[in-house]
């Protein structure tokens, strides 16, 4: 195999300097339009603000967590996108918040754990993705990303959990919820839809 001469190497480097930044810029803007539209960190901040305004209690509705999310979104319907998962524009949640319609939990692309207050364990997951997606919301569309779920903890912080680690994560969270006074059947029901092998997009 022929070795490249110095001027040929220079040409390769020059072309790389011209093409690579353009390719990276295109990838950045391509991904920007497809990811990070449902920032779970913002969801955490909004839940904290709600609790602050409601004596430390997070949204709760006797008809289920779908209606609790609609209560939260009713305060500002622009916020719907932060309480739905990837590839969900939240239009149905905005409509339900406006029309005071019932939201079934099966409609929700993010699962919200009801019945908690600011005094509960800060490591409890209060909101998480129903479906695992490649890269999660933050890195949706970036090639080579694993399937992830994004999780908002009670203290407003965020975690990402890979599909392979999700069953053990869910099991640990169920135990945390039981210790915080949530009935085991209710705690398990929150995580059951995520344990379906097809719960990914």
């Amino acid at each position: 195999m022929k070795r490249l001469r110095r001027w040929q190497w220079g040409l390769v480097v020059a072309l790389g300097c011209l093409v690579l930044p353009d390719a990276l810029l295109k990838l950045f803007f391509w991904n920007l339009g497809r990811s990070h539209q449902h920032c779970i960190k913002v969801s955490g901040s909004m839940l904290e603000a709600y609790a602050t305004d409601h004596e430390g209690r997070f949204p709760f509705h006797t008809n289920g967590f779908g209606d609790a999310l609609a209560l939260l979104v009713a305060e500002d319907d622009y916020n719907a996108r932060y309480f739905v998962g990837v590839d969900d524009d939240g239009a149905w949640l905005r409509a339900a918040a406006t029309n005071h319609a019932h939201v079934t939990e099966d409609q929700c692309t993010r699962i919200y754990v009801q019945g908690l207050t600011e005094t509960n364990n800060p490591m409890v997951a209060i909101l998480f993705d129903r479906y695992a997606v490649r890269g999660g919301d933050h890195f949706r569309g970036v090639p080579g990303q694993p399937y992830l779920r994004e999780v908002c903890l009670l203290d407003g912080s965020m975690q990402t959990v890979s599909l392979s680690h999700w069953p053990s994560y869910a099991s640990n969270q169920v135990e945390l919820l039981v210790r915080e006074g949530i009935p085991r059947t209710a705690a398990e029901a929150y995580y059951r839809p995520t344990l379906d092998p097809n719960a990914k997009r």
Side-chain angles (χ1 to χ4, degrees):
M1 191 167 119
K2 270 173 89 175
R3 294 182 66 183
L4 292 177
R5 295 184 182 160
R6 184 173 288 167
W7 70 268
Q8 290 171 319
W9 274 113
L11 185 60
V12 168
V13 170
L15 283 172
C17 288
L18 289 172
V19 172
L20 188 60
D22 183 56
L24 290 174
L25 198 60
K26 285 179 180 169
L27 178 62
F28 172 78
F29 283 111
W30 178 84
N31 185 53
L32 190 64
R34 289 160 179 78
S35 70
H36 204 47
Q37 297 177 9
H38 310 279
C39 184
I40 207 158
K41 291 181 182 179
V42 174
S43 312
S45 297
M46 294 168 65
L47 284 164
E48 285 182 317
Y50 183 96
T52 299
D53 293 342
H54 295 83
E55 299 174 345
R57 293 187 302 272
F58 294 102
F60 180 84
H61 200 288
T62 54
N63 288 340
F65 73 78
D67 286 344
L69 289 176
L71 281 177
L72 185 63
V73 170
E75 296 190 358
D76 184 351
D77 67 2
Y78 176 79
N79 298 332
R81 67 183 183 147
Y82 300 117
F83 295 96
V84 297
V86 172
D87 297 336
D88 184 345
D89 66 5
W92 59 272
L93 185 54
R94 285 193 300 276
T98 302
N99 302 328
H100 306 291
H102 173 56
V103 177
T104 65
E105 293 177 353
D106 289 345
Q107 289 176 268
C108 300
T109 50
R110 278 193 169 153
I111 295 174
Y112 167 67
V113 178
Q114 292 200 104
L116 300 170
T117 70
E118 289 179 314
T119 61
N120 287 111
N121 186 334
M123 297 310 292
V124 166
I126 191 168
L127 184 74
F128 51 90
D129 293 327
R130 178 184 293 266
Y131 302 103
V133 297
R134 289 197 178 275
D137 175 54
H138 281 74
F139 298 101
R140 176 75 159 153
V142 176
Q145 292 293 311
Y147 279 98
L148 301 172
R149 281 190 177 84
E150 294 188 350
V151 176
C152 175
L153 299 181
L154 199 70
D155 66 1
S157 63
M158 170 197 159
Q159 291 181 338
T160 57
V161 183
S162 68
L163 192 59
S164 60
H165 289 103
W166 185 258
S168 62
Y169 184 86
S171 177
N172 291 337
Q173 283 293 324
V174 166
E175 296 308 317
L176 280 178
L177 287 174
V178 170
R179 274 183 244 145
E180 295 301 304
I182 303 294
R184 182 172 294 276
T185 53
E188 289 173 346
Y190 285 121
Y191 285 91
R192 191 172 297 118
T194 67
L195 297 172
D196 182 332
N198 296 317
K200 59 184 184 180
R201 289 183 166 174

